Amino acid sequence: MKIELRRALERGELELFYQPLINLGTKQITTCEALVRWRHPDQGLISPVEFIPIAEETGLIIPLGEWTLGEACREAAKWPPHISVAVNLSPLQFRNRKLAALVADSLREAGLDASRLQLEITELVAARRK
């Protein structure tokens, strides 16, 4: 799976899906959480539960995270201005000294205002710590 995941990054087999968060008072979407999925050519859609731990173990989480952040910012820039995007980051990404520059570059390249981006720690990490 490690080799296939590396190839998936190169071949563009990753996709983002968005989970909307709704303000119950206004019934409007306020944020969409970017969720990465791997569309494997033989196995179909693979859950991040299966490939994110491998990406973290191999260091592929860095390029995977860069792609996710850039893609989420590009897509969110097309949305109505009251909707923000939330992107999960792994602890490895948070420790990366280039993270601030990566975020700034992604926002600039997409034309997305920084107030519309939320960065969150991955749920998988939080679940493992319990």
Side-chain angles (χ1 to χ4, degrees):
M1 187 169 272
K2 293 174 187 178
I3 294 168
E4 289 187 49
L5 182 56
R6 187 177 311 278
R7 288 185 186 144
L9 282 164
E10 295 167 359
R11 294 179 182 166
E13 295 174 0
L14 301 174
E15 297 179 32
L16 290 183
F17 289 75
Y18 294 93
Q19 179 174 310
L21 302 175
I22 299 171
N23 178 317
L24 294 177
T26 65
K27 296 185 177 29
Q28 289 190 330
I29 296 172
T30 58
T31 305
C32 289
E33 182 179 6
L35 305 171
V36 67
R37 299 293 185 265
W38 176 8
R39 190 169 300 277
H40 190 281
D42 299 321
Q43 299 177 33
L45 214 52
I46 298 177
S47 166
V49 172
E50 295 181 47
F51 68 86
I52 293 295
I54 293 167
E56 289 175 342
E57 174 188 322
T58 61
L60 287 173
I61 195 70
I62 300 299
L64 188 152
E66 289 176 6
W67 175 84
T68 301
L69 180 63
E71 188 68 17
C73 287
R74 281 188 290 280
E75 291 187 24
K78 300 173 191 172
W79 301 342
H82 69 277
I83 300 175
S84 61
V85 64
V87 177
N88 288 317
L89 300 177
S90 80
L92 285 176
Q93 291 171 277
F94 273 111
R95 287 191 290 264
N96 184 345
R97 293 180 183 179
K98 297 178 184 178
L99 179 60
L102 172 65
V103 171
D105 290 347
S106 297
L107 289 167
R108 183 183 36 77
E109 289 171 11
L112 183 69
D113 188 273
S115 66
R116 295 182 57 205
L117 175 64
Q118 298 173 24
L119 301 176
E120 302 175 347
I121 193 160
T122 57
E123 290 132 357
L124 291 174
V125 172
R128 274 191 238 145
R129 295 187 188 266
K130 289 182 181 179

